[in-house]
Amino acid sequence: MATFGTAATILLLALSSIASATNFKECRSFFNYKVGTPPLNVTLGNCEKYPCDLVRGMNVSGGMDFVYGKELSVLRPVITVYVAGLPINWPMNQEDGCTSLSHNKCPVKAGTRARYEYSLYLGPRTPLVQPLMRFEFRNARGDTTICAEMPIRILPNPDEKNLRAKLVEDFDSEGWREPSHDAVNQIIVN
């Protein structure tokens, strides 16, 4: 009976992780060759279907469970977004993905499961676009080891309406007074 209970628990955990995971595509090169090994699952904010809606001016957190066929001593996270087919590197707040492993540690032994957790900040000036996002790990030589792609959609922050209202207030009796760059930044940050 203990075996059945253990199996039921494992099945329940597996199903709950699948239900909350974001669908993703395996990475492909320009010539449609497979790039890297796809992860077991990816979470990105509250996303459960394509495209994943991300709100600029906000933090987005998520994670990725993976198993790789070789030992990994270096995990360099890289995010690239493709807008109209052009690759744009997305700034990450870390160079060493080993520091964000919550299930395992580096070096990750071949064939063992690991979980990477991350948080990204979408600045207030992030363009409102619908790019393809590629999240990958690179090894010490710069080769892609783990890779997933998903379409995303960058949405405006509802607080941006407050910015527009504040700019309208700057209209004085002499006509439009262009707000200073610092004033606009202060409004966006607050």
Side-chain angles (χ1 to χ4, degrees):
M1 197 57 120
T3 305
F4 176 75
T6 303
T9 302
I10 290 171
L11 179 62
L12 182 62
L13 289 173
L15 290 175
S16 67
S17 71
I18 290 170
S20 63
T22 302
N23 294 322
F24 64 89
K25 299 188 274 187
E26 70 178 22
C27 298
R28 294 285 179 172
S29 71
F30 179 76
F31 297 106
N32 205 29
Y33 294 114
K34 183 179 167 188
V35 176
T37 300
L40 300 173
N41 64 54
V42 176
T43 56
L44 180 64
N46 296 331
C47 181
E48 294 182 12
K49 63 179 184 167
Y50 297 133
C52 293
D53 289 338
L54 307 178
V55 179
R56 68 182 179 185
M58 303 288 285
N59 282 316
V60 178
S61 57
M64 179 167 55
D65 292 295
F66 62 92
V67 174
Y68 193 63
K70 298 178 183 176
E71 183 175 286
L72 293 170
S73 57
V74 173
L75 293 173
R76 199 178 110 229
V78 176
I79 293 182
T80 307
V81 292
Y82 294 85
V83 179
L86 299 173
I88 301 168
N89 288 335
W90 196 317
M92 290 283 296
N93 58 354
Q94 68 177 206
E95 288 290 319
D96 182 8
C98 291
T99 62
S100 293
L101 291 179
S102 63
H103 181 78
N104 214 325
K105 61 181 179 175
C106 287
V108 177
K109 303 292 182 208
T112 62
R113 186 178 184 135
R115 175 152 181 89
Y116 172 75
E117 295 183 349
Y118 58 90
S119 178
L120 304 170
Y121 176 70
L122 295 176
R125 294 185 182 142
T126 303
L128 300 174
V129 293
Q130 290 189 336
L132 178 69
M133 183 174 88
R134 174 181 280 191
F135 188 97
E136 61 189 297
F137 282 124
R138 294 189 182 160
N139 62 18
R141 293 188 321 226
D143 300 327
T144 299
T145 55
I146 308 294
C147 191
E149 292 181 341
M150 66 201 69
I152 61 172
R153 180 171 48 189
I154 309 297
L155 301 175
N157 189 319
D159 291 337
E160 289 178 33
K161 291 180 183 177
N162 296 339
L163 168 65
R164 289 186 192 102
K166 177 67 176 151
L167 291 176
V168 169
E169 288 176 18
D170 286 340
F171 187 82
D172 64 10
S173 61
E174 296 175 18
W176 178 254
R177 177 174 40 95
E178 193 69 35
S180 71
H181 182 69
D182 292 336
V184 171
N185 282 337
Q186 183 178 12
I187 294 167
I188 291 173
V189 171
N190 296 332

